[in-house]
Structures are given as structure tokens and as C-alpha cells.
Amino acid sequence: MLEKRKGITVSRQIMDDQLLHPDATGELTGLLNDLVVAGKIISAEVNMAGLADILGQSGKTNIQGETVQKLDVFANQTIKRRMEQCGYVCVMASEEDDEVIPVLDGYEGEYTIAFDPLDGSSNIDVNVSIGTIFSIHRRLSEKGMGTEADLLQKGSKQVAAGYIIYGSSTVMVYTTGSGVHGFTLDPSVGEFFLSHPYITIPDVCPYYSVNEAYSTYWLDSTRDFIAQLKKEEDGMGPYSLRYIGSLVADFHRNLVKGGIFLYPRDKKSPEKSEGKLRLLYEAAPLAMVVEQAGGRAITDDGRRILDIEPTNLHQRVPLIIGSKKEVDLAEKFFT
Ligand code: AHM
Ligand code: MG
């Protein structure tokens, strides 16, 4: 049956997901389909980047104080334009914008979207995989333009989440809470086809991913856990290190092959006291995906990522995410 589904289009799968919810109005289906269009546009631009003189830096810095590169700007604008006029979204948040982003007057819909338009952007001009991450919630307010409060909802309330990775091929992975599916873009026809139905993260986990250069700044618990992964013990380990430095790419590899990714807090600077990654549009959506795939996502003090109540749009959170057995093991060190 699963084999037979392989090759169906992403829009067919999105519609099938909707049919699991008899009361659905079709708004989430419409939103996801518009997001797919944004993904295709960004994918085309990423592939053209080397040719189109779009590489390099735009000279601006974002709220995190990082240099914004031109493709980030393009990806951000592309998603905002698609979402502001799709009619299914009431307010947005993006890694690249300090404040909430309104939609066009008269186009307010039922949902909110938070996104990282192009994660891993420091890798853009060296042909390393980068990606778009998205998180969708149902609005809390009744109607009209959405507010920040509509966006500040915990991850367990997400109605859909996922990412699009621009790598050796472009792959969209998403969940609406009924399993995780992956679709590969066939650029010759401009369509995403189901290539990874019902993804489950492998039990056997060969990889760990962490920036070990910061180990001198780590908490003892992090250092002890990583030391454990290097041992051969109880039929586990030593694990191999794979760190791309592009969250979507590291996460995607671990989801498909098995693995654990960590971006823990460290003592390097006050900004790193909660790690580096952002709760709303990096940690929470990937946590929903990983849990739907049978894995786990926690903080380095043992909290479930999906249970964290956000207090601001760009808050950071220490992230431990991946195969269940390894996150269970991590938890013993972190609690
Ligand atoms: P970005 O959203 O500005 O691209 O930053 C997030 C990226 C992640 O993709 C990656 O996991 C991490 O930063 C790498 O950080 P570091 O270089 O500190 O290891
Ligand atoms: Mg990012």
C-alpha cells in the first residue's frame, strides 16, 4: 500500500490529510499548497544562485545581529508575499523580521505561521544544503488581524510543521499530526512527489551532531554525555560525528539515517545561555516532526520542547533532538 502511494503529488497528500478531519474547512490545505509554491520558487532561486549573481551579502544584519545574505532576503520576501495574500493566515513571524508581520487587509485567515526562511544561511555560497522551516498554529483571537499572542503558542498546539531542504535534490518533509511524509521535487515538471511515506526515525542511531568546538564552554552534563557517545558500551557506540552546521541538513540526515543533534547552552557568551536555536521557527517545528516520526526533542535540562510556552518571538532554546533511544540516554545526563 505504502509503495503504491509513492509518487503521489504533495497536493494529493495534503488533501488526504484534510480528509482525516471531516470538519476541516480546507484553509490549512490551501495554506500548505501556497507554501509548496513558495518552496518551489526558493528552490529555483537557490539552484540559480551561482549563476544569477545573487550570492554574497546584502550588508544588513537581522535581529540576531547576523549578516543577512541576499538569498535570505529573497526567501523571506517570497514566503511573506505568498502568505500575506493567501487568505489563510492572520499573522506571521520570521527569523529575519524583528516584529510580527501582518497580512494584507481583508485577507486574514484562520492560521499563524512562523518560519525560518533560509536556515543555515552561512552555507549558502559554499553549496551546502540549506532549508526553510515552518510552524503553523490555529489562531487564538476570533477574527481580524492576528497578534503576537496568536503566535506565542506552545509547540504541542501546532497543526502542521515541516521543512523544505534545498540539497542534492529539493525535499519537503511535513506533518499535520498523522505521520511524517517526504516529497522530492522533480524540477523537470515542477512537482513534489511522495518519496518518503510515513517516515520513522531509525532505532539504530549511528550519528551524533554537535559543534564540538564549543566543548570548553559546555556544561559538565553535555561533556559527559558526548564522552559517553564515544565509548563502546552495552552494544552502543562509538557513534560517528556528522556536523554540517545547517540545522535542516543535520536534522534531515538524522531523521532518515538515525542520529541525535544537539545545540546545547554554553558559557561562551550571555547570548548562548539558552543555546542558539530559536524555539518558534526552528526547535518546535522540528520537534513536532521528530515526535511524529517516533523520536524525541528535549532541552538540556530535560524539558519537552513541545511543552515550552513561548514568551517572545525570537527566544532561543537548548535543543537535543533525534532518535528516541539516544534522547532517552541524553535525558539521564541532563536531569
Ligand atoms: P541561521 O538560522 O542564522 O542560519 O543559524 C542557525 C544555524 C543552524 O542551521 C545550525 O545548526 C547552527 O546555526 C550552526 O551554528 P554554529 O556555527 O554555532 O555551530
Ligand atoms: Mg535558522
Side-chain angles (χ1 to χ4, degrees), residues 262-291:
L262 300 90
Y263 207 115
R265 75 191 71 205
D266 66 48
K267 297 176 197 148
K268 188 163 183 276
S269 62
E271 293 81 60
K272 302 279 296 293
S273 65
E274 293 297 320
K276 177 181 180 188
L277 301 173
R278 276 53 66 117
L279 175 61
L280 279 192
Y281 42 79
E282 293 179 323
L286 298 186
M288 182 177 183
V289 170
V290 89
E291 287 202 4

Side-chain angles (χ1 to χ4, degrees), residues 193-267:
F193 295 104
L194 183 60
S195 49
H196 301 71
Y198 289 102
I199 299 173
T200 52
I201 187 164
D203 283 339
V204 180
C205 163
Y207 302 124
Y208 73 100
S209 318
V210 69
N211 191 335
E212 291 221 52
Y214 304 137
S215 59
T216 39
Y217 308 110
W218 285 347
L219 307 181
D220 289 345
S221 46
T222 308
R223 221 175 287 130
D224 292 347
F225 174 60
I226 297 299
Q228 177 66 38
L229 296 181
K230 294 176 181 173
K231 293 181 189 157
E232 188 182 344
E233 220 172 79
D234 302 330
M236 292 163 86
Y239 293 73
S240 292
L241 170 64
R242 294 282 187 281
Y243 191 70
I244 298 171
S246 187
L247 173 64
V248 177
D250 278 311
F251 178 83
H252 185 67
R253 183 203 53 250
N254 291 349
L255 185 69
V256 174
K257 302 272 191 196
I260 182 166
F261 173 96
L262 300 90
Y263 207 115
R265 75 191 71 205
D266 66 48
K267 297 176 197 148

Side-chain angles (χ1 to χ4, degrees), residues 66 95-96 116-121 131 133 247 276-278 281-282:
E66 299 152 343
E95 178 178 329
E96 300 297 343
D116 183 347
L118 212 54
D119 179 67
S121 48
I133 313 175
L247 173 64
K276 177 181 180 188
L277 301 173
R278 276 53 66 117
Y281 42 79
E282 293 179 323

